[in-house]
Amino acid sequence: AADKKYPGAGDYTWGEGLTRNDYEIHFQGTAAGQTANVAVNDNYENAFPFSIEGIDVIFTADTDEHGLTLGGNNRTLEIMGRTEGNDYGSMVIAKGTYIFNPSKNFWLGKSAGNGVFTAKDGTITFSNQIFIGDTTADTEGEFNVEGGTVTANDYTCVGYSQGSGTMNITGGTFTQIDSKNFIVGQGKNTSAKGTLNVSGTGKLVVNQLWIAENTTPGEVNLNEGGTIEARSFKTGTEGGVATVNFNGGTLKSRTANN
């Protein structure tokens, strides 16, 4: 088994203390408002579990090409809160190229608390499913795209199982590959909710946009400047309430070639 490291607040350079393939890395806060800044000056792969709990972690590469591949060998990728201190954990991608490995799903908000992911710039690929919200009631996940390009190679669930989820796309592009669905409100908890907000220069490109798949309500807000491209829309078949609000923006049919 890999050794474990529990970095807290401070400044780090990946490869110097945070080695690329030798440790399970679990960023852990001990009080509210703590931040860890991580510089990435090369390309690294970490095949062991990676998680963030109760702390803000900001990743910045020195070039657009440098970055990280996180999670491998069926290892955990989680961002969550902590019962002591911060009730949420967050990850910010400021620059670089990042791959979230195909062997494990990406959990945003887990049983221990809420999770936030923000893409400010860079090229980011999720090779497996994205769950925003968790199987535990009252858990919340928030996924923000403010710039750069994000590609999802499997299903994306905004509001999963018993938890609530929100995706805000205000800049950059989030693209779901054409064989998988993008689901807003996937769970079976009428007290939870899945919410998608697209505005500014943000763009969402998906295959099928499914709103309220089960009984959890789903809401899509297309606001001024935002663009949604989809091949089809589908609403729930099990009583979930699906809501779509148009406040400007552009709704387009996704073509076969993109």
Side-chain angles (χ1 to χ4, degrees), residues 88-104:
Y88 73 95
S90 80
M91 181 177 189
V92 178
I93 302 295
K95 185 177 182 179
T97 300
Y98 300 81
I99 299 172
F100 292 84
N101 201 274
S103 60
K104 198 72 173 178

Side-chain angles (χ1 to χ4, degrees), residues 42-62:
D42 207 334
N43 292 308
Y44 296 106
E45 180 175 353
N46 176 42
F48 291 101
F50 174 86
S51 55
I52 296 171
E53 182 182 6
I55 189 171
D56 299 314
V57 184
I58 303 172
F59 288 82
T60 307
D62 59 342

Side-chain angles (χ1 to χ4, degrees), residues 126-129 152-156 174-183 205-210 231-232 254:
F126 291 88
S127 299
N128 212 325
Q129 298 179 65
N153 290 333
D154 210 322
Y155 294 100
T156 298
F174 185 104
T175 301
Q176 189 87 31
I177 66 166
D178 59 10
S179 62
K180 302 296 183 180
N181 296 329
F182 186 101
I183 305 166
V205 181
V206 298
N207 176 43
Q208 183 178 84
L209 179 54
W210 194 337
R231 288 204 176 94
S232 64
R254 185 179 182 184

Side-chain angles (χ1 to χ4, degrees), residues 184-208:
V184 182
Q186 193 272 345
K188 295 186 176 183
N189 179 2
T190 57
S191 296
K193 188 177 183 180
T195 305
L196 169 67
N197 302 305
V198 185
S199 64
T201 58
K203 184 177 182 179
L204 173 70
V205 181
V206 298
N207 176 43
Q208 183 178 84

Side-chain angles (χ1 to χ4, degrees), residues 42-125:
D42 207 334
N43 292 308
Y44 296 106
E45 180 175 353
N46 176 42
F48 291 101
F50 174 86
S51 55
I52 296 171
E53 182 182 6
I55 189 171
D56 299 314
V57 184
I58 303 172
F59 288 82
T60 307
D62 59 342
T63 70
D64 292 334
E65 292 76 22
H66 286 165
L68 302 174
T69 297
L70 294 171
N73 300 327
N74 200 33
R75 301 299 188 176
T76 301
L77 292 166
E78 298 176 340
I79 302 176
M80 55 191 172
R82 182 171 170 78
T83 54
E84 306 88 6
N86 270 2
D87 62 354
Y88 73 95
S90 80
M91 181 177 189
V92 178
I93 302 295
K95 185 177 182 179
T97 300
Y98 300 81
I99 299 172
F100 292 84
N101 201 274
S103 60
K104 198 72 173 178
N105 298 328
F106 179 78
W107 292 92
L108 189 53
K110 196 66 174 168
S111 56
N114 306 326
V116 181
F117 177 90
T118 301
K120 290 185 173 294
D121 198 357
T123 302
I124 304 163
T125 301

